Amino acid sequence: MIAVKLASLAVVVAFASSATSDAAPTRPDRFAPDRATLIDGVDRLVAPGSPGGVRAFGGHAFTVVDGSNGVPVVVASKPDRGRVVAFGHNAFLSDATYASPGSQRMLSNVLTWLRMDRANARCVQIGSHLDARLEAAGIQTLPRSELAMADVVVWDTHTTLSADEATLLVARVNAGSGLLCAATGWGWMQISGAESLSRDFASNRVLAPFGVAVTDEFADPDGPDGFDVGRALNTASTTEAFTALGAKNVAPDRRARCANTLDALLRCVPADERTLIAPLRERLDTKLARFLASAANVVPQRTLEDRLLVRYATERFESAAPASVGVAPSHAAFPGAVDAKAPRVATDVRVQATTPAWHALGLYAPPGEVVRVTLPADVPREGLTLRIGCHTDENWHHERWDRWPRVAMARGFETATLEVASPHGGLLYLDVDRSRVGSTIDLHVEGAIAAARFVRGTTTREQWAALTKLPTAPWGELEGDHIVLALPWSTLKDVADPDAVVRFWDEVWSAHVELLGEPISPHKERLVPDAQISAGYMHSGYPIMTFMDVVPLVVDLAKLKAEGSWGHFHELGHNAQRDAWTWGATVEVTCNLFTLHAMEKVCGIPVAKHPNVVETMPRAKALKDKGGDARAWSDDPFLALMTYVELQQRFGWEPFTRVFQEYERQGRRDRLHGEQEKIDQFVERFSRAVGVDVSPLWIAYGLTVDPAVSKRLADLPPWK
């Protein structure tokens, strides 16, 4: 198709407003009767597997059912004569999916709507398995070779059509036939290894003329059994999305929905779709060129169009040839500008993959510049990934962006030599899969710059002092035996004794391991500060993420030894925490057992004297004095922690370790999952470990312990 070039986005908006699908909130929805017919008598649509998204766009298409996240899972289209219905999972084209009456009714409605009152409709199936349901609907099935005779076509769009079949299918729908199709876009991408549905998924080219696209999204069910069909739609139609493009006062939730709609269409509809996508791409390409040529070091986000530009630019950055990536002006604000005097190097790096996950190369990829990494020809490429950037949090969901929403990237080695470029720049890592642990991997790297890296037991203080006098990257790392600290160069250059810093953090992690009683993870833990993180003030994971304000504390040994760092110890505690002895109300509680243990063992602060314990104990006593309150206990993590503190103060840390090890030996097979079951099991296990029935303590705080537990503990003296 030839793209229609529109002079102004206003023309696109005008077109969208007059011709798009599931209508804007300000005018009647002309497809409402069709949607009502398709969902008539249906309350719930059972979800097979994890459904993907399908999108409706253009003047003929509309959403039928969507997920709780606003991603449509069923859409339909009424071109001039024919009809189309698309589902977001190819399992919707299997008889096995239609066990429930609601789903059966939905399919019956769809087939009736598609056959358009034809009494003796004939159907061709391509890759689908709806024999029983078609027979129940009185529809005769024909072989694929008789596609030209079909009144209804059922097509699993994972099944590739020949060029002649694709042309014929479009012609049949335009002549008045019905098309029922389905695909799991995200699943197809995983299986095929494709990077773009708009470019690589040929079926979207067949569906585009009808305003239908299979997308790479997930459609979230409303509950465990599927989708609530009767509720109001959450998705933003193309009408609403295009109208909101230039507006400044769109409510944040609707702005996000509109951005999701347009972003999905840009990613998944063929780029030359002439009515909406090609003009929008042209507009964004022009705006992106202006942005890249500017010196602005902020992320555009004032309007929906600005935010869409950031999404679009990210996709263009990641799909462009490395030499064409360019520099995002906002990189200067974060992760930081590269010293112009820093030389680009050609160097050999040896990675001893003693653990899985990230292995730092001591190098930094300059923003917008090609970095070339070469493996020896005889080294297997499987299980190896090159990563640029340690700031892996994606912040698309935030109302305000304090840095580019995605600044890190990763690429696998399709050949022995990998060329890659990041518009933002970042530290370079080799990410090693578990299958490659134990390997020695030699790399030759060209085009990167040196990044400060201290490795405990390898880098001397003299070598570190020399590093601090050289032009280097804006980020570097201090690596201990168990903990790795990523830090900005502005902080690293003033660290006089990096060995003492990483030794402290290694001791904190060793204290966590000591309390659990066994190794916690197969890799080193990483602490990474960021200008903006995906959730909370800090969050656990790999890596643990924090805001930049805690950077000075991470290397302030005097303060760390005197006070510790509750936040860091807490997030490391989350990584050590186990589900078997943690339930909903204690997710933010049992991790702090590790916090208090490290405070005592590493910082010399006894549990009873920690300020958080001293402050909370009077409230704990008041709660017990009034007979306990389970709701208050559950709503206040520090109050709940006092129950465990009382156990620790009477029995010490050793019983906790014994109980934790007992859970680990038990394995997953017999673990309990209900909240009450977890309370009962922990109380019983701890009681046996200390030889005292501790259930009265839990009951005193207002929690319920199954009477059967107390009966089984009758041989033990009770807690007093």
Side-chain angles (χ1 to χ4, degrees):
M1 289 183 276
I2 300 174
V4 176
K5 295 184 178 181
L6 302 180
S8 169
L9 189 63
V11 179
V12 180
V13 174
F15 175 86
S17 298
S18 63
T20 48
S21 59
D22 28 358
T26 55
R27 66 186 184 86
D29 181 358
R30 66 187 181 94
F31 293 110
D34 294 285
R35 181 173 186 261
T37 297
L38 289 166
I39 65 173
D40 180 52
V42 183
D43 293 325
R44 305 285 292 176
L45 177 64
V46 174
S50 298
V54 281
R55 288 281 180 175
F57 66 95
H60 306 295
F62 57 98
T63 298
V64 180
V65 179
D66 65 6
S68 60
N69 60 343
V71 174
V73 70
V74 186
V75 299
S77 177
K78 283 182 70 176
D80 291 340
R81 297 184 65 186
R83 293 180 179 182
V84 178
V85 174
F87 284 81
H89 198 299
N90 49 338
F92 279 113
L93 301 186
S94 170
D95 283 328
T97 298
Y98 295 96
S100 72
S103 295
Q104 287 184 19
R105 178 61 181 263
M106 181 81 185
L107 182 60
S108 176
N109 292 347
V110 166
L111 293 173
T112 300
W113 189 77
L114 290 173
R115 69 194 293 179
M116 291 181 285
D117 300 324
R118 293 185 180 94
N120 299 303
R122 296 162 297 180
C123 174
V124 167
Q125 293 194 79
I126 303 175
S128 65
H129 305 281
L130 283 178
D131 306 77
R133 303 316 310 165
L134 290 169
E135 182 180 354
I139 298 177
Q140 177 189 355
T141 56
L142 300 175
R144 182 169 174 174
S145 59
E146 296 188 33
L147 180 61
M149 306 296 294
D151 301 306
V152 176
V153 178
V154 182
W155 174 34
D156 179 339
T157 56
H158 290 206
T159 304
T160 304
L161 302 179
S162 68
D164 288 343
E165 286 176 322
T167 300
L168 180 55
L169 179 57
V170 172
R172 290 301 301 162
V173 174
N174 284 332
S177 293
L179 170 62
L180 171 59
C181 59
T184 317
W186 65 264
W188 181 87
M189 292 182 73
Q190 284 188 356
I191 294 169
S192 67
E195 295 182 354
S196 167
L197 286 174
S198 67
R199 184 182 64 246
D200 303 324
F201 191 54
S203 300
N204 267 349
R205 190 163 293 279
V206 177
L207 297 173
F210 310 122
V212 172
V214 175
T215 74
D216 53 10
E217 304 164 284
F218 287 85
D220 292 344
D222 294 278
D225 61 339
F227 299 90
D228 183 354
V229 174
R231 63 160 170 74
L233 294 171
N234 291 314
T235 192
S237 69
T238 47
T239 297
E240 181 184 0
F242 273 97
T243 302
L245 261 180
K248 298 178 182 178
N249 297 313
V250 181
D253 62 328
R254 296 315 302 172
R255 182 176 64 184
R257 295 279 193 242
C258 291
N260 289 344
T261 294
L262 295 174
D263 186 39
L265 295 177
L266 283 167
R267 288 198 314 273
C268 302
V269 176
D272 59 356
E273 193 284 322
R274 64 186 179 85
T275 59
L276 296 179
I277 304 307
L280 181 56
R281 281 180 175 270
E282 181 178 318
R283 168 77 177 196
L284 292 172
D285 280 334
T286 300
K287 190 165 185 173
L288 177 57
R290 289 200 301 265
F291 172 67
L292 293 178
S294 73
N297 64 354
V298 296
V299 184
Q301 56 188 295
R302 188 169 58 93
T303 66
L304 173 60
E305 186 178 357
D306 288 337
R307 294 177 72 90
L308 186 63
L309 172 69
V310 173
R311 292 175 180 234
Y312 182 70
T314 301
E315 188 256 335
R316 294 297 298 272
F317 291 149
E318 295 177 357
S319 62
S324 304
V325 166
V327 179
S330 59
H331 85 277
F334 194 87
V338 168
D339 188 330
K341 296 179 291 185
R344 277 57 176 168
V345 301
T347 186
D348 294 320
V349 180
R350 170 163 288 185
V351 173
Q352 299 286 1
T354 55
T355 63
W358 302 1
H359 293 264
L361 304 186
L363 298 168
Y364 193 93
E369 298 184 27
V370 177
V371 172
R372 182 180 294 104
V373 182
T374 302
L375 291 167
D378 59 346
V379 172
R381 302 188 299 273
E382 293 75 16
L384 302 178
T385 304
L386 185 73
R387 171 169 292 283
I388 299 180
C390 59
H391 301 97
T392 57
D393 273 17
E394 297 194 14
N395 299 324
W396 300 107
H397 58 291
H398 286 310
E399 184 177 344
R400 172 184 165 180
W401 293 327
D402 295 330
R403 52 101 159 149
W404 200 271
R406 181 163 68 223
V407 295
M409 60 185 294
R411 292 288 185 272
F413 286 83
E414 295 183 3
T415 61
T417 297
L418 172 64
E419 289 190 343
V420 64
S422 163
H424 315 285
L427 289 168
L428 282 167
Y429 302 90
L430 186 67
D431 194 349
V432 178
D433 184 79
R434 287 173 182 263
S435 64
R436 300 300 298 275
V437 171
S439 304
T440 298
I441 303 156
D442 292 312
L443 305 170
H444 181 71
V445 185
E446 301 172 66
I449 63 175
R453 183 181 179 221
F454 176 90
V455 181
R456 186 180 180 188
T458 300
T459 311
T460 66
R461 290 187 66 172
E462 292 73 24
Q463 289 171 327
W464 178 254
L467 269 177
T468 62
K469 296 177 174 61
L470 298 174
T472 189
W475 285 80
E477 290 191 335
L478 305 180
E479 181 172 338
D481 296 331
H482 307 297
I483 300 286
V484 183
L485 309 174
L487 293 165
W489 175 240
S490 57
T491 297
L492 285 171
K493 65 182 178 61
D494 296 325
V495 177
D497 190 356
D499 186 77
V501 173
V502 294
R503 187 167 63 249
F504 172 86
W505 288 105
D506 279 346
E507 288 173 1
V508 172
W509 187 245
S510 294
H512 282 29
V513 172
E514 177 186 306
L515 179 59
L516 186 64
E518 63 173 49
I520 293 170
S521 57
H523 50 69
K524 297 182 181 183
E525 299 296 320
R526 290 181 175 272
L527 306 181
V528 178
D530 197 333
Q532 185 176 35
I533 65 176
S534 59
Y537 176 62
M538 298 183 180
H539 71 72
S540 59
Y542 185 85
I544 289 170
M545 300 301 301
T546 74
F547 279 94
M548 297 295 293
D549 63 324
V550 299
V551 166
L553 175 60
V554 171
V555 295
D556 188 341
L557 273 180
K559 189 167 186 178
L560 287 171
K561 289 179 177 180
E563 303 174 11
S565 174
W566 187 278
H568 289 100
F569 294 8
H570 170 97
E571 301 305 341
L572 288 166
H574 272 306
N575 284 4
Q577 188 179 49
R578 297 294 185 255
D579 177 71
W581 33 265
T582 301
W583 58 93
T586 62
V587 169
E588 298 299 328
V589 179
T590 59
C591 59
N592 281 330
L593 291 172
F594 296 90
T595 307
L596 289 172
H597 183 260
M599 289 285 183
E600 185 168 276
K601 298 294 183 178
V602 181
C603 304
I605 305 172
V607 171
K609 293 186 178 181
H610 192 280
N612 288 339
V613 173
V614 172
E615 178 184 334
T616 311
M617 265 303 183
R619 290 194 288 115
K621 182 178 184 302
L623 181 72
K624 290 188 294 181
D625 286 347
K626 74 171 189 177
D629 185 333
R631 174 63 62 84
W633 189 93
S634 298
D635 289 347
D636 187 336
F638 282 106
L639 192 57
L641 181 61
M642 294 308 104
T643 310
Y644 296 91
V645 166
E646 290 201 54
L647 294 175
Q648 190 278 331
Q649 287 294 284
R650 180 164 174 181
F651 301 111
W653 288 114
E654 190 272 338
F656 286 94
T657 301
R658 268 196 289 142
V659 170
F660 293 159
Q661 289 181 315
E662 188 177 309
Y663 276 101
E664 293 297 317
R665 287 194 300 270
Q666 173 187 344
R668 297 181 182 276
R669 181 169 48 87
D670 299 320
R671 289 184 181 172
L672 304 177
H673 300 287
E675 179 169 313
Q676 188 58 53
E677 291 175 320
K678 288 186 177 183
I679 295 172
D680 293 339
Q681 188 175 103
F682 182 82
V683 167
E684 185 166 359
R685 287 181 182 275
F686 199 93
S687 295
R688 289 297 175 192
V690 297
V692 173
D693 176 7
V694 301
S695 60
L697 172 66
W698 296 80
I699 294 169
Y701 275 95
L703 277 77
T704 300
V705 177
D706 191 324
V709 172
S710 298
K711 287 183 179 179
R712 290 196 294 270
L713 297 175
D715 59 313
L716 299 179
W719 170 278
K720 293 183 180 179

